[in-house]
Amino acid sequence: MSPAVAPVRQLDAHCVDELRQAAQKILGEFGTSATSPVLLERVAERAGELGDALREHCRPVDTADGLFVLRGLPLDDEAIGPTPAGWANARDRGAVYDIALLLLATVMGNPLAWEGQQDGRFVHNIVPSPGHETAQTGASSSVLLSPHTEDAFHPGRAHLLMLGCMRNHDNIATTAAGIRKTRLADEDVDLLSRPVLPILPDDAYEVAQRFADQAPPPVPTLYASDEGMTMRFDPAYTPLDGADDDYRAAYHRLSEELARVSVAVSLSPGEVLVVDNDLVVHGRVPFQARYDGTDRWLKRASVRVPGRRTRPPAEAYEHGYGQAALEAHAS
Ligand SMILES: [Fe+2]
């Protein structure tokens, strides 16, 4: 694993002021960051008024790394209060950052939420949660969160994933590995471009029972889009036993390549990591949660980018296991 070499986009004081004022005004009006249609409408309105400099910082990912870090948002460790013990306790903690993230997400595309996740909120709190230490979800801590595409099981998954850092006293690294940094044999690319195995929903969702007896759709791991190679990868939820030896070997070589090119990004408070979810898989190194209010705390937002053609058209026919994606505004 290499140390962070993430491209940084530094926000200047003017951009920061503009964003902060817009976020505070919306929070003042609504008194909460819980997302309602009218709040999302106001966010879209205000986002439309943000200046060109901030807009430029929110331009698409433009390097093979497939990610960047927005730096410069101020964050007062005391003022944000202790790290909540689980997302359900977080409610409006750090609400102004929820809205700042939503504003940035809206400049980048359409914010995305899930009916079945964190009460349908558009900004999630990622904190270690007692009892979930070894799960393969953002609530875990003591295990390696293995590299994955966010919401890989679903055709409505995010194009961009934003992780905003509230607290990270122990410099716990987020890992990121980009498909365009890997080197794979043509035969492996060919094999992995075939729809062979499904990707099942992760533990953070309650799978709708009516899909329990339907055949899960097999999906390609790699896709050579007009914009370059993209990936849909979540080994923890991919039943590899269902593939033949050749496919499994190619999948294994892809995993090894991703491990080779993986970088460790240790976010500081106020930094926002933006990951292209079609190019990069992300994960997290293990850590020891203390549950004393000082644990790592991230905010997560997801974005759909209208008009992107980085995925196989056949995805549109997948059932998504009955999970409903909610987009802030129809594209
Ligand atoms: Fe994730």
Side-chain angles (χ1 to χ4, degrees):
M1 181 100 52
S2 321
V5 284
V8 171
R9 300 184 185 177
Q10 180 75 44
L11 299 173
D12 63 21
H14 176 73
C15 289
V16 168
D17 268 2
E18 199 185 11
L19 187 63
R20 189 168 47 187
Q21 280 176 26
Q24 279 169 345
K25 194 155 180 232
I26 294 169
L27 186 59
E29 184 183 348
F30 291 87
T32 176
S33 62
T35 25
S36 58
V38 61
L39 183 142
L40 291 168
E41 222 171 87
R42 189 76 75 252
V43 167
E45 248 170 57
R46 299 288 302 172
E49 294 162 8
L50 294 169
D52 288 343
L54 195 52
R55 222 161 268 290
E56 174 67 10
H57 286 307
C58 293
R59 70 189 180 278
V61 168
D62 51 8
T63 68
D65 302 292
L67 52 81
F68 61 85
V69 172
L70 277 176
R71 183 175 287 165
L73 287 178
L75 203 139
D76 180 334
D77 191 66
E78 275 194 27
I80 60 171
T83 300
W87 68 264
N89 300 316
R91 297 176 183 277
D92 277 330
R93 304 267 283 279
V96 76
Y97 294 95
D98 292 346
I99 295 176
L101 265 191
L102 265 181
L103 282 160
L104 292 169
T106 305
V107 173
M108 295 182 199
N110 288 340
L112 171 77
W114 299 91
E115 234 170 51
Q117 210 181 15
Q118 299 208 5
D119 288 340
R121 280 192 177 233
F122 278 69
V123 178
H124 295 165
N125 287 281
I126 307 296
V127 292
S129 195
H132 294 257
E133 286 82 359
T134 60
Q136 279 297 308
T137 72
S140 71
S141 48
S142 63
V143 291
L144 177 85
L145 183 56
S146 49
H148 60 279
T149 303
E150 191 74 356
D151 298 318
F153 72 95
H154 202 285
R157 67 192 178 281
H159 293 116
L160 301 173
L161 180 69
M162 305 172 72
L163 295 172
C165 180
M166 302 291 283
R167 174 171 290 130
N168 190 9
H169 289 181
D170 307 304
N171 296 318
I172 297 152
T174 300
T175 64
I179 189 65
R180 294 184 190 169
K181 308 281 264 188
T182 60
R183 287 192 299 259
L184 288 167
D186 290 348
E187 299 77 45
D188 285 350
V189 172
D190 184 46
L191 264 176
L192 295 169
S193 299
R194 298 178 195 170
V196 172
L197 296 171
I199 301 177
L200 304 170
D202 73 46
D203 290 345
Y205 294 83
E206 297 159 18
V207 182
Q209 276 309 305
R210 66 181 186 279
F211 286 91
D213 53 2
Q214 283 195 25
V219 302
T221 303
L222 299 180
Y223 177 61
S225 80
D226 293 347
E227 298 177 25
M229 188 63 76
T230 60
M231 145 177 73
R232 184 177 183 184
F233 182 75
D234 194 350
Y237 296 95
T238 301
L240 266 183
D241 290 350
D244 63 19
D245 289 351
D246 287 350
Y247 189 91
R248 285 211 303 272
Y251 197 92
H252 180 67
R253 283 190 287 274
L254 170 62
S255 303
E256 282 185 333
E257 268 301 283
L258 290 169
R260 185 182 66 80
V261 302
S262 182
V263 295
V265 184
S266 173
L267 291 173
S268 299
E271 290 184 338
V272 181
L273 173 65
V274 181
V275 167
D276 190 313
N277 199 34
D278 288 330
L279 268 64
V280 170
V281 287
H282 65 281
R284 191 217 57 239
V285 300
F287 67 101
Q288 191 64 49
R290 290 182 291 267
Y291 305 125
D292 64 353
T294 67
D295 283 322
R296 176 180 183 261
W297 179 11
L298 302 182
K299 299 272 190 186
R300 176 177 65 198
S302 301
V303 184
R304 294 275 297 181
V305 180
R308 276 213 11 180
R309 293 163 63 166
T310 42
R311 298 176 183 171
E315 280 197 18
Y317 302 100
E318 292 175 21
H319 54 54
Y321 302 87
Q323 296 300 317
L326 311 168
E327 267 194 67
H329 21 100
S331 49

